[in-house]
Amino acid sequence: MSRKSYIGRLMDQKTLMLMSIPFVIWLFIFRYLPIWGWTIAFQHYRPGTGLWEQKWTGLDNFRLLFQEEAFYLVMRNTLAMSLINLVLGFATAITLAILLNELRSVLFKRVVQTISYLPHFISWVVASSIIVTALSIDSSGIVNLILMKLGLINEPILWLAEGKYFWGILGVSEVWKNVGWNTIIYLAAITAIDPAQYEAAEIDGANRMQRILYVTLPGLKPIIVLLLIMNIGNILESGFEPQYLLGNGLTADYSDNLDIFVLKYGIAMGNFSFATAAGVFKTVISIALLFGANYMAKRFGQERLF
Amino acid sequence: MKLTSRTRTAGDILFDIGNVVFMIGLMVVTLYPFANMLAVSLNDAMDASRGGIFLKPRVFTLYNYEYVLREASIFHSLMISVLRTVIGTAVAVFCSAMVAYTVSRPEYLLRKWVALAFILTMYFNGGLIPTYLLHKELHLINSFWVYIIPGIVGAFNIIIIRSFIEGIPDGINESAKIDGAGDFKIFMKIVLPLCTPVLATVALFVAVWQWNSWFDVFLYNSSNPKLSTLQYELMKILQTANGSSTQATIGDVLGGNQRGVAANQVTPTSIRATMTIVASLPIILVYPFLQKYFVKGMTLGGVKG
């Protein structure tokens, strides 16, 4: 075949183009067009009027946002719940992975793993239904029942009716749902540790605990650092479903986060421009954090994320 | 790490026993809530409201299930859930595989651009309000297709299918080309069948996601009961239970669909337990057999992501 022009060569790939271009068009409509929709954060958007006839208002929506007291409340809740989930999630998953690795029976280990994955696959609606039942004050509320049997409380507590318990309940719920699943990546990393290191530690007289502390944990360090950095970019993503499903009017001061704020102001109140401004704020901070984390990863000599 | 060189010390044995006890505790905490829900759902509703049901039904009945499956609105929502799971999964797997195939062809001139366009979407998105307004403009509100069309291709799915296709020996493609097969034919007849393991992984991810979705129902179709799904129906009952109005009647919960007789035999608690079991049953039945695909997809995604 003689040398053809770029267009000529492209024409030879008609089938491949037909197989991919329609999806690229789909992608632009459904994934890129909404980004262009950020412009309504700088407008006073009125539904029913064309996008070109909207009134531009500059940064007014952002100014309103930063003056809004509720915004600072949801920011506090978002950061608090993110940090609790981050710390609890890491600590429990790493601990469980190490303990699973120490089990002697391969069959027993596999059974525990399979069962511990289950809650990850069920929906938050089902999980919330389970949590509401477990925390209820009637006699089927197992949590109150056990605490009363142990003599820790004298009468049942309405766990989901008081804001001060919400962050804790959410943290524990996230652990219940995801701890098993989150061990996968650590267990994969543990199998990559050179067995010779354990043998050397054994010969040096290290006991079980010392082998965990001085061989397993240092072996996990790179993956822990990498995952921590990745999660920093997600610090404003504190989740939406569990807060929405478990929260109620009584706990709103603690359960409402940035995503629920956007939903309330945007969809429920129809204040589209204001809610979009809050959404844009969240995305811009997240991208900045992601790039910052990537830079940090490079400085610490870790594999970069992208 | 089997260390047989040395006898186990007392501390070792104590650690092992403690570890096994801990794992048993973990399994109990994971499984008990499901067992409890099952027991309540299999117990007479009026009797259950006296409380004290833990692992075994006291007054056994299948009436709750009969009620849930006979109640037209709930049964219909179950059908919509099945429908969106089946259609959504089939469409997503086929379309993702097709795009993955094109970006795996080294000679395809646009491969880098197509791949880049998809990968960029992993790092940012337009957010709730612009997406909502777009779907509204496209008349996807109050429509079944809002469950399918916005999710037909995902960047993550493309990445894991592509890395699988790239592991297929190129000779197979070449010999098919020499035999005169076009790209689409090669994709359908050779690549798709060879990709079964990775397609199973992607199908599972998508199916679980489709089955568990409720937010799109809430956002786009909450005014149309004909498009409701099982998870959304359960969510509505849950909201009533979790709200301050714990005295909600079954009539409030089921939106006036109740029949007088039935209302005396079921309670919101028993209906919720029954629907919780129905909503989780497909997943409980399927995932133990397929978890190795999930784990594979997860570790692959973790490495390539």
Side-chain angles (χ1 to χ4, degrees), chain A residues 13 20 32 104 114 123 208, chain B residues 16 107-108 117 231 287 291:
Chain A
Q13 301 182 335
S20 57
Y32 287 92
R104 284 171 186 273
T114 302
S123 68
R208 197 76 161 271
Chain B
D16 281 330
E107 75 275 12
Y108 185 33
Q231 302 280 348
Y287 96 94
Q291 58 156 321

Side-chain angles (χ1 to χ4, degrees), chain A residues 37-56:
Chain A
W38 282 8
T39 50
I40 68 174
F42 306 96
Q43 297 171 339
H44 185 71
Y45 180 79
R46 288 169 186 286
T49 326
L51 264 179
W52 300 110
E53 288 125 60
Q54 304 293 342
K55 212 174 101 195
W56 291 88

Side-chain angles (χ1 to χ4, degrees), chain B residues 102-263:
Chain B
T102 65
V103 294
S104 76
R105 301 305 314 143
E107 75 275 12
Y108 185 33
L109 293 169
L110 301 177
R111 66 183 295 219
K112 276 213 175 101
W113 296 108
V114 174
L116 183 70
F118 276 96
I119 286 167
L120 276 180
T121 62
M122 292 175 85
Y123 295 101
F124 56 85
N125 62 68
L128 179 73
I129 305 295
T131 309
Y132 172 83
L133 293 173
L134 173 79
H135 290 167
K136 211 169 145 180
E137 287 294 314
L138 294 172
H139 299 284
L140 281 170
I141 283 185
N142 226 330
S143 150
F144 177 76
W145 299 108
V146 78
Y147 304 147
I148 311 292
I149 295 173
I152 57 173
V153 195
F156 183 76
N157 297 341
I158 292 179
I159 288 174
I160 65 172
I161 300 174
R162 180 182 67 175
S163 62
F164 190 91
I165 295 178
E166 281 169 352
I168 298 172
D170 209 40
I172 298 174
N173 278 313
E174 291 308 316
S175 56
K177 271 232 164 98
I178 290 163
D179 289 346
D183 283 310
F184 187 70
K185 199 167 175 190
I186 292 176
F187 168 68
M188 291 297 285
K189 292 271 150 76
I190 297 169
V191 175
L192 268 191
L194 284 173
C195 282
T196 318
V198 73
L199 297 185
T201 310
V202 171
L204 282 161
F205 278 124
V206 180
V208 167
W209 172 75
Q210 281 282 7
W211 178 259
N212 283 342
S213 294
W214 60 273
F215 187 61
D216 46 11
V217 190
F218 166 75
L219 203 56
Y220 302 115
N221 291 337
S222 54
S223 59
N224 188 345
K226 285 265 168 278
L227 294 170
S228 187
T229 65
L230 189 66
Q231 302 280 348
Y232 185 58
E233 290 301 307
L234 178 57
M235 179 263 182
K236 283 195 288 186
I237 294 181
L238 179 68
Q239 291 286 291
T240 326
N242 187 27
S244 41
S245 57
T246 40
Q247 300 302 312
T249 65
I250 190 72
D252 296 339
V253 168
L254 295 175
N257 277 330
Q258 88 282 16
R259 287 171 292 274
V261 186

Side-chain angles (χ1 to χ4, degrees), chain A residues 3-4 6 15 20 36-37 55 81 146 163 177 193 201 207 213 218 230 233 235 260 264 272 286 306:
Chain A
R3 295 185 67 202
K4 279 186 175 180
Y6 185 80
T15 323
S20 57
W36 181 55
K55 212 174 101 195
M81 286 188 275
I146 288 174
K177 198 167 185 300
I193 297 174
N207 63 27
L213 283 176
M230 272 167 85
I235 204 81
I260 294 178
K264 271 190 182 166
F272 294 118
S286 293
F306 52 86

Side-chain angles (χ1 to χ4, degrees), chain A residues 7-176:
Chain A
I7 302 290
R9 284 188 295 154
L10 206 54
M11 280 302 119
D12 290 343
Q13 301 182 335
K14 254 181 270 165
T15 323
L16 286 174
M17 280 168 69
L18 271 174
M19 288 168 76
S20 57
I21 301 297
F23 298 104
V24 175
I25 295 169
W26 168 89
L27 189 75
F28 272 92
I29 296 173
F30 283 92
R31 294 287 183 273
Y32 287 92
L33 220 51
I35 293 163
W36 181 55
W38 282 8
T39 50
I40 68 174
F42 306 96
Q43 297 171 339
H44 185 71
Y45 180 79
R46 288 169 186 286
T49 326
L51 264 179
W52 300 110
E53 288 125 60
Q54 304 293 342
K55 212 174 101 195
W56 291 88
T57 56
L59 292 170
D60 277 6
N61 288 312
F62 290 92
R63 213 166 287 138
L64 278 175
L65 183 70
F66 295 129
Q67 282 165 6
E68 173 75 48
E69 232 169 276
F71 173 72
Y72 293 97
L73 188 73
V74 298
M75 277 303 287
R76 179 201 70 171
N77 295 344
T78 304
L79 290 173
M81 286 188 275
S82 266
L83 283 174
I84 290 172
N85 287 345
L86 191 73
V87 174
L88 265 186
F90 265 83
T92 53
I94 293 166
T95 310
L96 183 60
I98 289 173
L99 290 178
L100 278 169
N101 187 55
E102 294 291 325
L103 285 175
R104 284 171 186 273
S105 157
V106 178
L107 181 72
F108 183 67
K109 180 181 165 191
R110 206 173 293 155
V111 170
V112 176
Q113 279 184 284
T114 302
I115 289 175
S116 72
Y117 296 161
L118 170 63
H120 176 78
F121 292 103
I122 56 156
S123 68
W124 265 113
V125 177
V126 168
S128 304
S129 176
I130 281 170
I131 292 159
V132 166
T133 305
L135 294 175
S136 76
I137 50 162
D138 60 40
S139 57
S140 57
I142 191 82
V143 173
N144 278 321
L145 212 69
I146 288 174
L147 290 177
M148 273 159 71
K149 277 262 159 63
L150 290 174
L152 292 172
I153 53 172
N154 290 322
E155 50 189 53
I157 295 176
L158 269 163
W159 293 102
L160 287 166
E162 268 184 81
K164 62 179 174 186
Y165 300 129
F166 192 84
W167 295 347
I169 291 169
L170 189 89
V172 174
S173 305
E174 289 270 3
V175 168
W176 179 79

Side-chain angles (χ1 to χ4, degrees), chain A residues 278-293:
Chain A
V280 169
F281 169 80
K282 181 185 143 186
T283 310
V284 169
I285 299 286
S286 293
I287 291 176
L289 285 171
L290 191 70
F291 277 100

